[in-house]
Amino acid sequence: YGTGHELHFLCFLAALAALGALAPADVAAAVLHAFAAYMTLMRALQRRYQHEPAGSKGVYGLDDYHHLPFLFGAAQLDGNPDGLTPDAVLDAGKVRAHADNYLYLAAIQWILEEKRGPFGEHSPTLYDITAVPNWAKIQSGMTKMYHGEVLAKFPVVQHLLFGPLLPFEPAAPA
């Protein structure tokens, strides 16, 4: 299991939007509810069946399986009413207290439950991100990282099915 599976779920949501079943005003709710429920299911399956990560970058990736909860979660946390700053992920109590409400913190909670040892050792990239001054900058970086590490990788996108709901538009020559 890996980021390609997440991408397919995102394509499913995009197809719903293309069909008109998901209005533009509903996109945030689709991420905060449908995608969050998808993540809960995937984590339960990963834990129960001990899924191997697909293409894991080990300690140098965000997490062995996921990227989108960090991207969407950073956007969700930008301007959050709880005053949570990026370094809040270093406080296990804050993570626990807010994991049910924020995708990013739920992803951190998952890592804290699944990995052993100091956070900075098993998740150095996420640890380094705690020094970024605000969630908007993290979200911007996560978007760039998603493009470079997921969308620009042939082993991931080769499995996408393009068609009327998800058209393929080749990039202009550089």
Side-chain angles (χ1 to χ4, degrees):
Y1 179 88
T3 54
H5 297 91
E6 281 184 338
L7 176 58
H8 278 82
F9 189 78
L10 188 62
C11 290
F12 170 70
L13 294 177
L16 290 176
L19 290 169
L22 185 62
D26 297 331
V27 171
V31 169
L32 296 177
H33 298 288
F35 183 77
Y38 167 78
M39 289 304 304
T40 299
L41 174 62
M42 291 301 98
R43 289 180 181 132
L45 292 173
Q46 289 159 13
R47 184 173 281 145
R48 172 70 174 97
Y49 297 105
Q50 300 176 347
H51 285 173
E52 290 292 325
S56 175
K57 293 189 178 221
V59 298
Y60 297 103
L62 293 177
D63 143 331
D64 289 335
Y65 303 98
H66 306 286
H67 186 103
L68 289 176
F70 298 102
L71 192 159
F72 295 150
Q76 179 190 19
L77 281 160
D78 188 23
N80 73 83
D82 295 310
L84 297 166
T85 57
D87 63 350
V89 305
L90 299 175
D91 182 335
K94 284 184 182 178
V95 171
R96 232 181 347 271
H98 297 282
D100 289 342
N101 299 319
Y102 295 104
L103 294 171
Y104 196 101
L105 297 181
I108 296 295
Q109 181 66 32
W110 166 256
I111 291 169
L112 294 175
E113 291 171 359
E114 294 299 310
K115 295 194 175 189
R116 302 291 171 248
F119 185 69
E121 289 181 15
H122 60 65
S123 301
T125 303
L126 288 167
Y127 179 80
D128 289 346
I129 290 170
T130 64
V132 175
N134 60 63
W135 292 110
K137 191 166 184 172
I138 291 173
Q139 191 242 341
S140 173
M142 291 291 176
T143 301
K144 291 174 188 168
M145 182 185 266
Y146 191 73
H147 181 269
E149 296 297 324
V150 179
L151 297 177
K153 300 295 184 190
F154 181 74
V156 175
V157 297
Q158 71 179 335
H159 302 291
L160 289 176
L161 297 176
F162 295 99
L165 295 178
L166 187 64
F168 177 76
E169 297 173 13

